[in-house]
Amino acid sequence: MADLAARLAAIDERIAAAAQHAGRSADAITRIVVTKFHPASLVRDLHALGVRDVGENRQQELSAKTQELTELAEMRWHFIGQAQTKKAAAIRRAATAVHSIDRERIADALDRVAVDDDVLDVLLQVNLTDDPGRGGVAPDGLEHLAEHVLECETLALRGIMAVAPLNADPAESFARLHGLAERLRTVAPEARWISAGMTGDFAEAIAAGATHLRIGSAITGPRPAQG
Ligand SMILES: *Cc1c(COP(=O)(O)O)cnc(C)c1O
């Protein structure tokens, strides 16, 4: 727990420094701690340290942890993984926000399973690689998908999300993402979130305007072997 607190504090210092360097307020940046593959007890420890935003990339793990941790107040669970339409109801039950909307069908599936008048925050994931097999809508399909999501009454379109391609300069990738975020706002003026930046590239993401960082291993330590 002492190690965890130290790593969290060190990252928050680096976030503050990167924000200052970029002439931005760190208050405008949400640090999401990605807890995938780690046990629910780690989320409990993070909560005790003041963390309220956590990220998961697999529906089953998200559902299991939220069910185990119902006693944690004010938690916001961010779903950041590839979403399957048949898992939409489970994702919607557990997540506060879904960062990975990349096709109309997943938006429709999440919209359809709304309960009462709850509204789900969603972001459009864009694919910055040339590999169509990667998650995310191709950049030239962004506006079309945004228009579709705006028609989904129980979804609130909050912004854009991307993972920087491995073999490219993250600063360039995030500059491109910033341009796509501006394009998105011409269609959806309220969609101001930019979810970008991980352990290896969050400073570059902050410089390019990221509002939501998704940081895992630098805070949690190495992930346990994937089962
Ligand atoms: C795992 C993951 C992260 C966090 O990665 P780290 O390198 O451990 O910080 C961020 N975003 C997504 C989509 C992930 O799957």
Side-chain angles (χ1 to χ4, degrees):
M1 184 93 176
D3 287 350
L4 185 64
R7 287 193 299 264
L8 185 65
I11 289 297
D12 284 348
E13 268 178 40
R14 286 172 58 194
I15 292 170
Q20 192 182 26
H21 188 73
R24 301 183 56 203
S25 163
D27 295 344
I29 298 171
T30 300
R31 175 253 300 120
I32 299 165
V33 183
V34 178
T35 50
K36 64 188 184 200
F37 304 122
H38 287 281
S41 58
L42 180 89
V43 180
R44 203 175 274 124
D45 290 347
L46 286 164
H47 185 269
L49 293 169
V51 170
R52 294 295 178 268
D53 291 273
V54 296
E56 288 289 337
N57 74 335
R58 297 189 303 183
Q59 173 271 320
Q60 277 182 315
E61 200 176 335
L62 171 74
S63 296
K65 283 182 190 163
T66 53
Q67 279 161 29
E68 193 174 335
L69 298 170
T70 49
E71 84 278 10
L72 299 185
E74 298 169 351
M75 284 296 278
R76 287 178 293 272
W77 294 88
H78 299 259
F79 186 70
I80 61 174
Q82 294 239 17
Q84 290 177 271
T85 51
K86 63 177 187 230
K87 299 294 171 60
I91 293 170
R92 181 143 196 168
R93 258 196 310 278
T96 321
V98 175
H99 292 226
S100 42
I101 303 295
D102 60 0
R103 58 201 191 281
E104 293 183 8
R105 283 203 334 183
I106 190 64
D108 291 341
L110 287 166
D111 189 34
R112 213 176 296 126
V113 295
V115 178
D116 301 329
D117 52 3
D118 88 297
V119 171
L120 179 69
D121 289 334
V122 298
L123 296 86
L124 305 187
Q125 181 177 0
V126 284
N127 181 358
L128 298 179
T129 76
D130 300 324
D131 175 1
R134 294 279 169 154
V137 64
D140 60 12
L142 180 64
E143 284 93 340
H144 188 80
L145 181 59
E147 279 161 4
H148 185 86
V149 171
L150 287 171
E151 300 285 310
C152 297
E153 284 183 7
T154 75
L155 305 182
L157 180 52
R158 294 295 182 201
I160 197 165
M161 180 274 224
V163 176
L166 274 181
N167 44 11
D169 173 6
E172 274 173 32
S173 299
F174 293 138
R176 189 163 163 228
L177 180 63
H178 188 264
L180 293 169
E182 284 182 346
R183 262 173 47 187
L184 174 60
R185 279 200 303 275
T186 64
V187 181
E190 309 292 304
R192 292 191 207 91
W193 297 4
I194 301 178
S195 168
M198 313 186 355
T199 287
D201 56 21
F202 69 82
E204 288 89 344
I206 290 169
T211 63
H212 291 66
L213 315 173
R214 308 179 310 271
I215 303 179
S217 45
I219 295 171
T220 61
R223 283 186 273 278
Q226 308 177 15

